[in-house]
């Protein structure tokens, strides 16, 4: 296997639900990230072998293979193909994995990996809910599924509640974590920590999610999502709009095109986990990728784990034993937002740039995914 290098990483600002990016067509938002990526990397678009784009809710404006429609909407060469990936919330992290695997195997030299989601236009779970309303059935109504899992509720919200119960994560714990996420994101914005990774888009220059007026008192006054639960909107990731893209190159492509490696994809792993708890996958995924890399958690300088819910990250921290200051040091999805199919690429873009900014060597990214799965990636800064 040859090396796979990240030679470019860029993202749009993340827009709030019904915010500045809510009226942008998903293909246009993805196109904006693609153009910025190639311009910043100094890469010839015609030399790209393939485009892998994550998108979770593939319906309406986000169907028709948005990897392809975004590339063409950017006015980029028609001979370059594209494919759209759904590994739920990890879709664009999986896009990076597929790109690195293609480059590492010698099947490709230059691959774009990214993702897009405009949740203001296409709400979460739209393919399932619209399909059920149209009489197309439910993914959890088959005989085989019911044989193994019965007719119990299958949802990320229930999974996050079950995790809070199993790992003894209190509402107060989660609210403290959520407040820290906002504080870190606001501090990062004020310090210009995101400036190099963001390409302003459609009049938006900074992430809209972080809230300076968030307090523990305000969070304590919110209703829980279920009557006897611990979760509130304040400890959950924000509904968001955004796009991000990375350029993955072989050593030969780096040499031939005069590209500058930012990091190498050191090690990758993906796991399945309990589909009812659903969101516990980052624990075994982290253990697997570190073992495969021959590293310990103490070797990792920065961690980006998706803040789907505060309980997910707090349970992961308890199991992995990592110092909190190394985890989501610049805020996470609770503050910055979670545009589903774009989030994996957004996290990796942030990780690449912050490794350079802090001069760290190794970065770890992991995230929980619908259906009970998780990706994990170790990057090495170059």
């Amino acid at each position: 296997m040859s090396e796979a290098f990240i030679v470019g990483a860029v993202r749009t600002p993340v827009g709030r639900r019904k915010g500045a990016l809510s009226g942008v067509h998903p293909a246009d938002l993805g196109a904006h990230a693609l153009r910025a990526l190639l311009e910043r990397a100094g890469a010839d678009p015609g030399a790209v072998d393939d485009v892998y784009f994550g998108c979770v809710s593939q319906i309406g404006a986000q169907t028709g293979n948005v990897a392809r429609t975004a590339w063409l909407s950017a006015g980029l060469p028609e001979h370059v193909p594209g494919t759209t990936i759904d590994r739920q919330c990890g879709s664009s992290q999986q896009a990076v994995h597929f790109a690195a695997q293609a480059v590492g195997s010698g099947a490709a030299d230059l691959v774009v990996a990214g993702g897009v989601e405009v949740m203001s236009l296409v709400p979460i779970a739209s393919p399932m809910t619209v399909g059920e309303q149209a009489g197309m059935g439910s993914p959890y109504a088959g005989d085989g599924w019911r044989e193994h899992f019965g007719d119990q509720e299958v949802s990320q919200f229930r999974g996050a509640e079950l995790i809070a119960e199993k790992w003894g994560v209190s509402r107060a714990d989660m609210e403290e974590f959520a407040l820290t996420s906002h504080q870190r994101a606001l501090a990062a914005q004020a310090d210009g920590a995101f400036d190099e990774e963001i390409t302003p888009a459609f009049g938006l220059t900074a992430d809209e999610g972080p809230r300076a007026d968030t307090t523990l008192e305000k969070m304590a006054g919110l209703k829980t999502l279920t009557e006897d639960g611990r979760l509130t909107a304040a400890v959950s990731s924000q509904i968001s709009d955004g796009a991000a893209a990375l350029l993955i190159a072989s050593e030969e492509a780096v040499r031939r095109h005069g590209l500058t490696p930012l990091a190498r994809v050191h090690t990758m792993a993906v796991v399945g986990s309990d589909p009812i708890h659903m969101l516990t996958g980052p624990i075994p995924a982290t253990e697997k990728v570190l073992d495969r890399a021959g590293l310990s958690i103490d070797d990792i300088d920065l961690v980006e784990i998706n803040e789907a819910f505060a309980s997910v990250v707090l349970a992961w921290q308890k199991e992995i034993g990592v110092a909190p200051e190394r985890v989501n040091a610049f805020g996470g999805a609770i503050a910055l937002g979670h545009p589903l199919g774009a989030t994996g690429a957004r996290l990796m873009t942030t990780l690449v740039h912050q490794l350079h900014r802090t001069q760290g060597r190794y970065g770890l990214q992991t995230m929980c995914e619908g259906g009970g799965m998780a990706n994990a990636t170790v990057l090495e800064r170059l």
Side-chain angles (χ1 to χ4, degrees), residues 253-336:
V254 167
R255 184 195 60 78
R256 187 187 324 133
H257 299 291
L259 304 172
T260 302
L262 302 173
R264 74 180 180 103
V265 181
H266 186 285
T267 312
M268 300 171 288
V270 63
V271 303
S273 60
D274 179 352
I276 303 303
H277 280 76
M278 192 178 291
L279 311 176
T280 59
I283 297 168
T286 297
E287 294 169 342
K288 183 175 182 178
V289 81
L290 290 175
D291 180 67
R292 184 174 285 176
L295 299 171
S296 76
I297 194 64
D298 293 333
D299 296 314
I300 302 298
D301 297 290
L302 291 175
V303 176
E304 288 289 332
I305 174 172
N306 191 39
E307 294 174 1
F309 299 90
S311 58
V312 173
V313 183
L314 291 171
W316 174 87
Q317 285 184 186
K318 286 187 175 186
E319 290 291 332
I320 302 301
V322 61
E325 59 269 17
R326 285 188 286 148
V327 179
N328 299 354
F330 309 94
I334 289 172
L336 295 168

Side-chain angles (χ1 to χ4, degrees), residues 55-63 122-123 126-128 130-131:
C55 186
V56 176
S57 298
Q58 295 181 39
I59 192 170
Q62 293 182 168
T63 193
V122 185
S126 287
M128 182 167 61
V130 172

Side-chain angles (χ1 to χ4, degrees), residues 301-302 353-362 381-382:
D301 297 290
L302 291 175
H353 285 276
Q354 299 307 343
L355 281 172
H356 277 268
R357 196 166 184 270
T358 61
Q359 293 296 291
R361 181 179 180 184
Y362 292 116
R381 178 182 62 85
L382 298 174

Side-chain angles (χ1 to χ4, degrees), residues 159-179:
E161 287 282 8
L162 290 172
I163 289 169
E165 293 173 14
K166 181 175 179 178
W167 274 272
V169 178
S170 69
R171 175 173 174 172
D173 293 334
M174 292 189 283
E175 289 172 345
E176 288 276 4
F177 180 86
L179 180 62

Side-chain angles (χ1 to χ4, degrees), residues 88-169:
Q88 297 293 278
C89 294
S91 296
S92 55
Q93 186 174 359
Q94 183 62 56
V96 173
H97 282 204
F98 282 153
Q101 289 161 0
V103 165
S105 68
D109 282 313
L110 201 57
V111 181
V112 170
V116 64
E117 203 93 25
V118 180
M119 299 177 74
S120 296
L121 175 67
V122 185
I124 188 172
S126 287
M128 182 167 61
T129 57
V130 172
E132 287 179 341
Q133 291 165 3
M136 299 178 187
S138 163
Y140 309 119
D143 292 340
W145 181 273
R146 288 185 170 175
E147 177 185 349
H148 292 94
F149 302 106
D151 59 359
Q152 61 184 307
E153 178 189 349
V154 181
S155 79
Q156 59 177 326
F157 305 105
R158 183 182 180 217
E161 287 282 8
L162 290 172
I163 289 169
E165 293 173 14
K166 181 175 179 178
W167 274 272
V169 178

